[in-house]
Amino acid sequence: MILIDELRAEHDVIEEVAGAFLTYAASPAQARDGADGAAFLRFFRLYANHFHHAREEDTLFVALRDRAGLPVDRGPVATMIADHARMAGLLDAVATSLEAGGDAGPGLHESATAYVHALWHHIDAENSVLFPECAPRLRRNGVSDLPSRAMTPDEHEAMIGGRGLVARYPPAAQPDVMRGDGCIMCPAFGVTCRGLELEWWNEWEWDEFEDRMSGG
Ligand SMILES: [Fe+2]
Ligand SMILES: [Fe+2]
């Protein structure tokens, strides 16, 4: 499904620029170029939020609800929507730290770390849990493709700007960040979401699973 392939490719870009942003945020305040900080912010606001998250919400999630009959007010989709809102708040905190400029050394490092780690967890959850389930469930309901919109010139420019920053602030390895696949890695698991199987599987999927387990 083209939309899902595109969303995955966008994750790769967002993930890399997020890594570059941590490199930027870790550099000494007096060495930080304010224009680059603004370009990072533009990238996250326009490309990650306005383009990427919005298409997930207004195209993919809407199709899961209306055409695949999946709940969006609880379970994995509700978790992803809540993440988008929470991350927008974390990005506002980043913007405040950036505006405070040179005096906000530890402030920026802290707010950038909180934002980037949330973003990475979110990308892992979508890539490993949500997205693999979307295409087969939509296809079963006769949906083979989901037309979506192109980037606006502003979003495109923000994306190019972000990519340019990756070369200047190479992302460092982050061995202390726990990342991985599956519900078990998701902070919402067992808190606001019971995991994909309990939230999404229907009766015949459970029957099939039990048959397989019992060798039947
Ligand atoms: Fe998302
Ligand atoms: Fe995403």
Side-chain angles (χ1 to χ4, degrees):
M1 193 169 281
I2 294 168
L3 176 67
I4 293 171
D5 294 344
E6 285 177 357
L7 291 171
R8 277 187 188 277
E10 290 160 19
H11 281 171
D12 292 345
V13 178
I14 293 169
E15 176 158 339
E16 237 191 339
V17 177
F21 186 46
L22 284 190
T23 303
Y24 173 84
S27 57
Q30 60 276 17
R32 266 188 238 132
D33 183 335
D36 288 346
F40 274 114
L41 190 59
R42 227 174 125 68
F43 171 87
F44 293 121
R45 284 205 161 138
L46 286 176
Y47 184 74
N49 291 0
H50 201 259
F51 181 60
H52 177 82
H53 293 164
R55 271 158 58 260
E56 288 174 343
E57 291 192 18
D58 64 31
T59 307
L60 181 62
F61 299 170
V62 166
L64 292 174
R65 181 192 66 195
D66 294 349
R67 305 180 76 177
L70 291 164
V72 298
D73 53 351
R74 58 178 171 84
V77 174
T79 303
M80 295 303 101
I81 294 172
D83 272 2
H84 290 172
R86 192 171 62 90
M87 291 189 297
L90 292 172
L91 188 58
D92 286 342
V94 165
T96 305
S97 313
L98 282 170
E99 273 158 27
D103 297 332
L108 177 63
H109 189 239
E110 231 164 76
S111 60
T113 301
Y115 174 66
V116 168
H117 289 187
L119 200 51
W120 282 345
H121 279 298
H122 181 77
I123 287 174
D124 288 345
E126 287 182 339
N127 281 349
S128 73
V129 179
L130 192 77
F131 286 2
E133 291 280 331
C134 289
R137 279 165 196 278
L138 288 165
R139 223 172 273 131
R140 279 210 298 268
N141 288 279
V143 182
S144 57
D145 231 328
L146 287 173
S148 181
R149 69 171 175 89
M151 259 179 261
T152 65
D154 275 0
E155 290 162 352
H156 186 257
E157 194 206 304
M159 187 266 287
I160 299 291
R163 290 192 119 147
L165 292 165
V166 174
R168 299 189 29 218
Y169 302 96
Q174 303 281 334
D176 52 328
V177 185
M178 287 277 287
R179 299 195 58 184
D181 293 344
C183 286
I184 206 80
M185 298 300 295
C186 177
F189 182 56
V191 182
T192 57
C193 180
R194 296 171 301 156
L196 186 123
E197 290 85 355
L198 283 177
E199 300 285 355
W200 275 16
W201 281 18
N202 60 29
E203 226 163 280
W204 65 258
E205 287 175 295
W206 280 109
D207 288 348
E208 205 174 64
F209 176 73
E210 275 153 21
D211 283 352
R212 256 205 320 268
M213 293 311 279
S214 61

